C-alpha cells in the first residue's frame, strides 16, 4: 500500500502515529484513556519494537511497546482492514510473553499484558458481512461452562472500532476515537495536544527525511516483490507445460526442457513424480 505524501500525514497514519507516541506522557495518557489502567512510569516507549526470538520463527514489529513496573502494553493502530485479526493478537501476545520472561524466571513473574488495537473500521462482522457495531470489543479467557470462572492469566485484549466513536459512553474515549477517525480534535484538550504534535512533526526536517527514506524503501521492496512474483508465475507456467507434455508423451526429456525452459534435471524430477 502506497504511503501518503508527507504533508498530508495525520495522527492515525503509519509513521506519524509512532512519531507522536515517542512522547512518553502522550503514550501513557492514550493508554490510560483506552484501557482504564494507570501507567505508573514510562521512561521511553519502544516504537516499532521487533521481536524475533528464534531465527526460524516469524518475528513481529509492534507499533508502540510500553513497559512499567507490573505491566506490558502493546498498542497497534490499523487504518485498513486485515485478515485473521484474532490470530494476529494471539501471536502478538505470545511474542510479548516470550520477550518479557527471561530464561530461568518463573511463570509467576510474567507481567500483566495488554494488547490494544485501535481500528478505523469495524473488525468484526456477522454472516451478512455487516459490522457488529460495537465501539469496543474486550476479550478475556473465561470458562465456557461457568462465566464466573476466569482463567486469570493476566492477559487482556481490547480492540476499538473508531468508526463507532459516537457510541462510546466515556466522553474522553469518545473524543479520542473521534479524533483518530475524523482528524478533528474538537474541544478535547488531549486531542488538541495530539494535533499540535502532528503539526510540529510535519515541520521536523529529520522526521521528514526518515519518512521519505522509509517510503523509498517500501517502494523498492514492492518492486522487488513484483519482479519475484513475475518470475514465480513464469516458473509455474513452465512446470505446468512440462507436466502436460509428459502426460501426453510429447517429445523427449531434452525436447520438453528446451521448449519449456526448464533444466533436464527439473523435467526428470517431474517425470518421477507422475
Amino acid at each position: 500500500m502506497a504511503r501518503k505524501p508527507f504533508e498530508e500525514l495525520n495522527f492515525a497514519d503509519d509513521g506519524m502515529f509512532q512519531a507522536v507516541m515517542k512522547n512518553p506522557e502522550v503514550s501513557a495518557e492514550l493508554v490510560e484513556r483506552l484501557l482504564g489502567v494507570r501507567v505508573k512510569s514510562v521512561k521511553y516507549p519502544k516504537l516499532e519494537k521487533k521481536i524475533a526470538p528464534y531465527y526460524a520463527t516469524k518475528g513481529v514489529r509492534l507499533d508502540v511497546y510500553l513497559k512499567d513496573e507490573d505491566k506490558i502494553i502493546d498498542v497497534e493502530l490499523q487504518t485498513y482492514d486485515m485478515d485473521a485479526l484474532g490470530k494476529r493478537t494471539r501471536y502478538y501476545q505470545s511474542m510479548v510473553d516470550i520477550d518479557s520472561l527471561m530464561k530461568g524466571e518463573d511463570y509467576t513473574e510474567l507481567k500483566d499484558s495488554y494488547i490494544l488495537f485501535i481500528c478505523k473500521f469495524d473488525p468484526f462482522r456477522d454472516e451478512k458481512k455487516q459490522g457488529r457495531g460495537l465501539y469496543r470489543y474486550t476479550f478475556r479467557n473465561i470458562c465456557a461452562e461457568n462465566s464466573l470462572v476466569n482463567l486469570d492469566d493476566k492477559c487482556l485484549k481490547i480492540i476499538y472500532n473508531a468508526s463507532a466513536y459516537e457510541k462510546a459512553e466515556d466522553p474522553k474515549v469518545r473524543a479520542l476515537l473521534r479524533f483518530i477517525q475524523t482528524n478533528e480534535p474538537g474541544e478535547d484538550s488531549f486531542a488538541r495536544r495530539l494535533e499540535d504534535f502532528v503539526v510540529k512533526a510535519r515541520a521536523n526536517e529529520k522526521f521528514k527525511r526518515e519518512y521519505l527514506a522509509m517510503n523509498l524503501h517500501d517502494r523498492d521492496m514492492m518492486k522487488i516483490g513484483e519482479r519475484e512474483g513475475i518470475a514465480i508465475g513464469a516458473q509455474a507456467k513452465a512446470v505446468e507445460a512440462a507436466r502436460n507434455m509428459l502426460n501426453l508423451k510429447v517429445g523427449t526429456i531434452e525436447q520438453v526442457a528446451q521448449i519449456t525452459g526448464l533444466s533436464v534435471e527439473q523435467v526428470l524430477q517431474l517425470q518421477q513424480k507422475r
Side-chain angles (χ1 to χ4, degrees):
M1 179 177 292
R3 290 177 179 269
K4 273 187 177 182
F6 181 79
E7 296 74 15
E8 298 177 11
L9 288 180
N10 296 321
F11 173 69
D13 292 319
D14 189 33
M16 182 61 77
F17 176 66
Q18 290 86 352
V20 174
M21 292 290 280
K22 280 183 179 180
N23 185 300
E25 293 181 1
V26 167
S27 294
E29 184 164 351
L30 182 142
V31 163
E32 288 174 2
R33 281 200 182 197
L34 296 183
L35 291 182
V37 297
R38 180 69 177 169
V39 179
K40 297 176 184 177
S41 62
V42 178
K43 292 183 179 178
Y44 195 86
K46 292 184 179 179
L47 308 175
E48 291 197 334
K49 176 180 174 63
K50 180 70 179 293
I51 300 178
Y54 308 109
Y55 75 93
T57 62
K58 175 181 173 63
V60 295
R61 190 173 295 277
L62 309 178
D63 281 354
V64 180
Y65 189 76
L66 303 177
K67 278 187 179 181
D68 73 359
E69 298 171 3
D70 58 356
K71 65 179 72 67
I72 298 175
I73 303 165
D74 167 36
V75 185
E76 305 290 325
L77 200 157
Q78 296 290 328
T79 59
Y80 56 91
D81 208 345
M82 67 188 79
D83 295 327
L85 177 60
K87 289 185 177 179
R88 185 184 296 259
T89 63
R90 170 184 161 186
Y91 192 72
Y92 282 21
Q93 177 62 56
S94 66
M95 292 294 101
V96 166
D97 285 343
I98 289 172
D99 186 60
S100 66
L101 194 64
M102 300 297 291
K103 185 177 180 180
E105 290 183 332
D106 189 78
Y107 295 118
T108 58
E109 298 179 70
L110 274 173
K111 294 184 178 184
D112 293 3
S113 69
Y114 298 82
I115 306 296
L116 171 61
F117 269 76
I118 309 166
C119 302
K120 293 187 67 174
F121 54 90
D122 194 333
F124 299 102
R125 297 177 176 81
D126 58 22
E127 60 279 357
K128 296 181 180 179
K129 306 299 182 182
Q130 298 296 316
R132 297 286 182 176
L134 299 179
Y135 77 93
R136 181 179 62 213
Y137 300 88
T138 303
F139 298 92
R140 296 184 177 89
N141 287 323
I142 296 174
C143 178
E145 289 76 17
N146 185 341
S147 61
L148 297 177
V149 179
N150 191 319
L151 189 60
D152 198 29
D153 56 357
K154 305 301 181 184
C155 169
L156 185 67
K157 300 181 182 73
I158 294 183
I159 301 171
Y160 275 93
N161 166 23
S163 67
Y165 66 86
E166 293 178 343
K167 297 182 180 180
E169 301 91 347
D170 187 324
K172 290 186 176 181
V173 172
R174 185 167 60 248
L176 177 55
L177 294 180
R178 178 178 181 271
F179 174 64
I180 290 171
Q181 185 68 22
T182 67
N183 197 43
E184 297 175 2
E187 298 300 318
D188 183 74
S189 60
F190 182 54
R192 288 191 168 193
R193 279 184 65 204
L194 294 177
E195 178 63 15
D196 288 341
F197 275 108
V198 170
V199 173
K200 290 177 182 176
R202 290 202 201 107
N204 187 312
E205 285 299 320
K206 181 175 182 293
F207 171 53
K208 183 176 182 178
R209 289 195 300 270
E210 291 173 350
Y211 179 82
L212 294 177
M214 191 186 312
N215 200 8
L216 181 61
H217 175 266
D218 285 353
R219 287 203 301 269
D220 289 343
M221 293 304 294
M222 286 177 65
K223 288 178 182 177
I224 292 171
E226 288 172 358
R227 287 198 297 268
E228 290 180 348
I230 292 171
I232 290 171
Q235 175 77 3
K237 288 182 179 179
V239 169
E240 182 180 2
R243 282 178 177 153
N244 289 337
M245 292 180 72
L246 291 171
N247 289 335
L248 295 172
K249 298 180 180 180
V250 176
T252 65
I253 296 296
E254 289 75 12
Q255 288 171 331
V256 172
Q258 184 177 9
I259 291 171
T260 61
L262 299 177
S263 68
V264 171
E265 290 76 14
Q266 288 174 309
V267 177
L268 285 171
Q269 289 177 0
L270 292 174
Q271 186 183 50
Q272 291 168 2
K273 292 178 181 179
R274 290 171 57 201

